[in-house]
Amino acid sequence: MERAEVCKVYIVSGPSGVGKSTTSKQLVKSLYRSAYISGDSISHMHVNGRKKPWESKEELSLIWGNILSLTKNFISFGNDVVIDYVTFPQEAKWLREKLKDLNVEVSYVVLWTDNETLMNRDNMRKLENRMGERCLVLVHEFIESGLDKKHLLDTSKNTIDDIPNVINEIRDNEKYIIR
């Protein structure tokens, strides 16, 4: 099923605990025809032999290959796609390159907050979902990744009530589009 207008892929990234899932789930609901891809869910599909993606390039390649396949499938049926996953710039560019022959626009937004707010948000999660120090490790990895600051969206002062404004920013601001 084809759709005349350009399909959009939104990659919502950032350190663990920053609000990716909360934001992504609301973003996908705001779109007419859309699909939600949780990178964490994709990662956990691999049961026996699974390694932590941050410790295994092979595992990370498997996850991204699956995300790509699902994304292409949803696009082929005329859906916009929201990808919720810790995504570094090189992975976002890789995905954009793999989708370049399709009628698609890829936006990459990295939700950001100060470390204290990040840790407070992580502590509000269920105990089994908390990432603890891994949140701060990811902050450092994003800083070292060569991330273009235009992709950052600071949500430090935001509350859950501000999510509609964050969604509008992600949908309407062309600075997040990977060219």
Side-chain angles (χ1 to χ4, degrees):
M1 179 180 296
E2 295 290 326
R3 127 177 150 170
E5 69 257 18
V6 172
C7 284
K8 297 185 179 181
V9 174
Y10 298 92
I11 304 169
V12 180
S13 184
S16 298
V18 77
K20 292 182 300 297
S21 297
T22 302
T23 302
S24 295
K25 288 173 184 175
Q26 291 303 309
L27 173 59
V28 78
K29 288 178 183 177
S30 77
L31 303 169
Y32 175 64
R33 291 182 60 134
S34 59
Y36 171 74
I37 298 175
S38 164
D40 288 342
S41 293
I42 300 295
S43 172
H44 289 97
M45 288 175 150
H46 186 193
V47 178
N48 291 323
R50 178 183 183 270
K51 296 177 181 149
K52 293 177 182 174
W54 58 90
E55 295 176 350
S56 169
K57 288 183 180 182
E58 181 180 312
E59 193 73 27
L60 194 59
S61 292
L62 175 63
I63 293 165
W64 276 106
N66 287 329
I67 290 172
L68 175 63
S69 295
L70 283 169
T71 300
K72 284 181 168 182
N73 195 37
F74 283 121
I75 289 168
S76 73
F77 282 85
N79 291 280
D80 293 326
V81 177
V82 176
I83 300 168
D84 162 14
Y85 197 49
V86 175
T87 306
F88 292 100
Q90 66 274 15
E91 295 156 342
K93 290 174 187 169
W94 174 86
L95 186 72
R96 174 65 191 110
E97 180 63 25
K98 295 294 184 185
L99 299 174
K100 72 179 181 184
D101 295 332
L102 303 176
N103 191 26
V104 65
E105 179 180 276
V106 178
S107 290
Y108 173 55
V109 60
V110 178
L111 302 181
W112 202 253
T113 188
D114 60 84
N115 289 350
E116 182 180 347
T117 301
L118 183 64
M119 295 310 295
N120 287 340
R121 289 178 183 172
D122 185 53
N123 286 328
M124 292 185 338
R125 295 170 151 184
K126 292 179 185 175
L127 189 57
E128 65 269 15
N129 295 332
R130 291 183 192 163
M131 296 297 287
E133 288 298 312
R134 179 80 183 131
C135 299
L136 299 177
V137 168
L138 285 166
V139 166
H140 179 72
E141 289 179 11
F142 272 104
I143 290 169
E144 296 295 313
S145 72
L147 175 66
D148 186 334
K149 291 190 187 327
K150 75 177 187 175
H151 292 286
L152 289 177
L153 176 54
D154 191 334
T155 63
S156 297
K157 294 181 175 40
N158 294 21
T159 67
I160 198 87
D161 295 332
D162 296 313
I163 289 182
N165 297 330
V166 172
I167 300 303
N168 289 337
E169 169 70 12
I170 292 169
R171 289 184 64 175
D172 299 340
N173 197 328
E174 292 187 10
K175 76 177 188 173
Y176 302 118
I177 298 171
I178 301 174
R179 308 255 180 222

